[in-house]
Every structure is written in C-alpha cells, then in structure tokens.
Amino acid sequence: MDIAYIPSPSHGVVHLGPIPLRGYAFCIIIGVFVAVWLGNKRWIARGGRPGTVADIAVWAVPFGLVGGRLYHVITDYELYFSDGRDWVDAFKVWQGGLGIWGAIALGAVGAWIGCRRRGIPLPAWADALAPGIVFAQAIGRWGNWFNQELYGKATDVPWALHITSSTDGRVPGYYHPTFLYESLWCVGVGFLVIWADRRFTLGHGRAFALYVAAYCVGRGWIEYMRVDDAHHILGLRLNDWTAMVVFLLAVTYFVVSARLRPGREEVVEPDGDTPDGDAVALDKKADSEADSKADNKADDEADETTDEKSDGKKSDGKKPDAKTDTESDEPAQSKESVEPAESEEPAESAESEELVEPEESVEAARGEAESAKKV
C-alpha cells in the first residue's frame, strides 16, 4: 500500500565542476548568517553598536565548530578509531557529526574571548544571540536530511521519512523524521525566547538560559525516538542524560540570576546607543549635550574677557600713582589733570566778566570828559 512520506535526496552533494557543494555545509552556513543577522538587530536594540555581534562571532563560530566536532568524535569514537575505520574521517565535518553540546560549550569560550577584547559582558551578548542560535539549529537540522541521518523509529505516519541509503548500516524504509521534529521545536523555542524577553525584560544571561532549558526539554523526548547507535547509561541514551543535566544547570542559573541581578543591563557596550534604539531620544540627548557644551564655552569666554578687563583696570589704576611720584614737583599740572573738564567753563565765564567791566569803566570816563568840556 502506498503511503505519504517525506522523500530523501538521492545525493547530499552537488558538484559545480571540481567544487563540491554539500547540503550539510550550506545549512550550517545559512544558520550562522541568520544567527548573526538576528543577533545584531537585537544587540542594537539593547544599546549595542552595529557589527559587534559579527566581530565576536569571528571567535565564537570556529570555536563552536571545533567543540561540536570534538563532542561527536569523543562520544562516537568507534566510528573513527575502531577496526576498519579511518581516523582521518574525524576531520571530515562536511560528512556530518556535530554535537550541539560541545558546540555551545566551546563556542561560549570563543565568545568570552571576543567579549573580553571588546569590553562587553558575555551574558548580555548571549541574551541577544539566543534566538538566533536556536533558529540556526533549526536550519542546520536540515543538513541531516541531506545526509539521510538521525531519523527515528519505523512508522507509517503520513509525514514519515523515506530512507533510501543502505550505507553505514542504514536500512531503507520509512521512519520518524526526528530531524524535522527538532527543527520545528527549535523554531518554537526561538519565538518563545523572543516573546519572554519582551514580556519580562530578561537580562544578565536569562534569555540564553531560557533557550537552553527549553531546547533540552525537546531534545530529551526527540532523542528517545532515535534509533541510530549511541552509548546508553541506565537504559537511556547519553544525550538524554546530557539534556537533563544541562536543563538543571540552566534552570538553576535562571533562578539565581533573577534573585541576584534582577532586571536588564542598562549599558551593554561602551560608547553604545541607548536601549530600544529610540532615535528621538538620541537626537534630544545630542542636542542638549551640544547646547550645554556651547553654553559652557560661552561662559568660559565671558569669564576670560572679564578677567582681562579687570587686569587692565588694575594696571591702569597703578599708572596715576607712578605719575604722582614722578611729577610731585609740578603741583599745578597735576591739579589740572585731576580737575574735570567741566571746571574750565566757570573760568572762561569769569574771564568774560573781567573783560566786560573795563569796557564799562571806559565809557564812564568818556562821559565825565564830555560833561567837563561843556562846563
């Protein structure tokens, strides 16, 4: 009986001339770009500078790839170091095999180095990047589809994954597409973190802790459905135990951090912008700062001018003292220099009166002479 199913690609690589284009690698690259793009937007919204997320990702991504590969090789060492295996295959990342636990752990070390070089807090950067990371995981899981790996138990559900390859112990048939389940779960976790971050204003690494805890819940039941070879402890797959331990650590950090450091960081990066990217507030702040600087400059210039004038007056006040010492032998000249200009007007009027009096006396004398002649 024919059933509906999800087909698997016949080849996970396409050759462009001598260059192999592998679907698994493309999924990882696209995921990294999405994580950096979304992380950059969230970082700017928190008051950070554009490009900081990408600069730190230069450290985090290589460390994460190495950590993911190391975790896979260590936990599945028999695939590379047992009889009939080639240990060189441990370096062939494009063939699949990255453990998210190692990728996050060692990637955090690289991010810490990058944050330390930029002088910013690692928890704030992790909060901004958390949804982007889980979306990148959702995209990266489709690389398992290209490689026909990490599927679940046999099933006849309409969305069953049809496996056609028989290499590395695979048995063709119809199985649960656990890669699809995890991809959808990661998308849900990403939106959950975004919503919770906006609703509760998460900070100091709590958004990242929420992502880790929520991912572990989904990874636990999805891992239980897988049928690929894995180490078991007390009947559970190793990744199930890892998910439980990491879940407890994430929840513990969330609770303790909320008590010790409630709220969110006010400043996430030196010389960054104000949170939420409020352009109007930025403009007002810039204008007020410019006005205050201009006022301070004007006040300084006014103070300097006042000081110069006061110095000039002091120097002018000292000159008359010097003159009185040197010109003490000329009392008349010093007296005239001290008297104001208005004092000269009464002197002129006095002189005019003196000129008038002689004229009257002359006329009187003439009158007396004429009267004497008549007599």
Side-chain angles (χ1 to χ4, degrees):
M1 180 179 63
D2 294 335
I3 61 174
Y5 61 88
I6 300 175
S8 295
S10 57
H11 300 284
V13 58
V14 176
H15 291 273
L16 184 62
I19 302 175
L21 304 177
R22 303 182 184 277
Y24 187 88
F26 267 110
C27 290
I28 294 176
I29 293 172
I30 295 172
V32 170
F33 274 101
V34 169
V36 173
W37 170 78
L38 182 58
N40 184 67
K41 290 177 65 67
R42 287 171 52 81
W43 182 252
I44 294 174
R46 290 198 172 203
R49 300 170 61 184
T52 298
V53 170
D55 292 342
I56 298 175
V58 172
W59 290 89
V61 172
F63 274 74
L65 290 175
V66 173
R69 189 61 176 177
L70 283 175
Y71 182 88
H72 168 73
V73 172
I74 292 172
T75 55
D76 292 318
Y77 63 89
E78 65 277 0
L79 298 177
Y80 307 100
F81 303 103
S82 60
D83 295 337
R85 299 287 184 170
D86 188 359
W87 62 272
V88 178
D89 292 340
F91 298 95
K92 298 179 180 179
V93 181
W94 56 88
Q95 293 182 355
L98 290 175
I100 187 62
W101 315 113
I104 295 298
L106 204 57
V109 175
W112 176 79
I113 295 174
C115 289
R116 186 177 179 84
R117 291 170 60 89
R118 294 296 295 264
I120 63 177
L122 175 61
W125 185 85
D127 283 342
L129 205 66
I133 292 176
V134 73
F135 285 142
Q137 290 180 239
I139 297 172
R141 274 305 175 198
W142 284 87
N144 303 131
W145 176 67
F146 281 101
N147 289 348
Q148 295 195 35
E149 60 186 5
L150 303 187
Y151 45 86
K153 301 175 181 179
T155 183
D156 57 357
V157 296
W159 57 86
L161 176 65
H162 187 201
I163 297 297
T164 59
S165 175
S166 58
T167 59
D168 295 331
R170 296 184 181 91
V171 178
Y174 300 92
Y175 301 90
H176 276 287
T178 52
F179 82 90
L180 178 60
Y181 299 159
E182 186 170 337
S183 179
L184 295 176
W185 183 268
C186 288
V187 172
V189 171
F191 285 113
L192 171 65
V193 173
I194 292 174
W195 171 81
D197 191 29
R198 293 177 178 176
R199 175 66 177 81
F200 302 105
T201 315
L202 302 177
H204 300 285
R206 288 188 289 277
F208 186 83
L210 176 62
Y211 140 66
V212 173
Y215 171 76
C216 289
V217 172
R219 180 61 184 268
W221 66 267
I222 294 172
E223 186 74 21
Y224 185 76
M225 298 178 63
R226 286 168 52 172
V227 295
D228 54 303
D229 294 333
H231 295 283
H232 287 73
I233 301 176
L234 299 178
L236 290 177
R237 295 167 64 95
L238 175 61
N239 284 331
D240 281 325
W241 288 104
T242 305
M244 287 188 288
V245 172
V246 175
F247 171 81
L248 293 175
L249 292 175
V251 172
T252 302
Y253 178 88
F254 190 97
V255 174
V256 174
S257 175
R259 292 180 179 179
L260 297 180
R261 294 181 294 179
R264 179 185 289 177
E265 301 90 343
E266 295 182 0
V267 178
V268 296
E269 183 174 8
D271 300 328
D273 296 332
T274 57
D276 298 329
D278 192 350
V280 177
L282 285 174
D283 294 338
K284 290 182 179 180
K285 183 178 179 181
D287 294 339
S288 62
E289 290 179 354
D291 294 339
S292 62
K293 288 181 179 180
D295 295 339
N296 293 334
K297 184 176 181 181
D299 294 340
D300 294 339
E301 292 178 353
D303 294 339
E304 292 177 359
T305 304
T306 304
D307 295 339
E308 291 177 357
K309 289 182 178 180
S310 62
D311 294 339
K313 287 182 179 180
K314 290 180 180 178
S315 61
D316 293 339
K318 293 179 180 179
K319 289 180 180 179
D321 296 339
K323 286 185 177 180
T324 53
D325 295 338
T326 56
E327 299 177 0
S328 58
D329 297 337
E330 301 176 359
Q333 185 176 355
S334 62
K335 184 177 181 181
E336 290 178 359
S337 62
V338 173
E339 293 180 353
E342 294 180 355
S343 62
E344 295 178 358
E345 293 182 357
E348 292 178 356
S349 62
E351 291 176 359
S352 62
E353 291 178 356
E354 293 176 356
L355 292 174
V356 172
E357 290 179 355
E359 290 178 359
E360 292 178 353
S361 60
V362 171
E363 290 179 357
R366 288 178 182 178
E368 291 178 354
E370 291 178 356
S371 61
K373 289 179 180 182
K374 290 179 180 181
V375 174

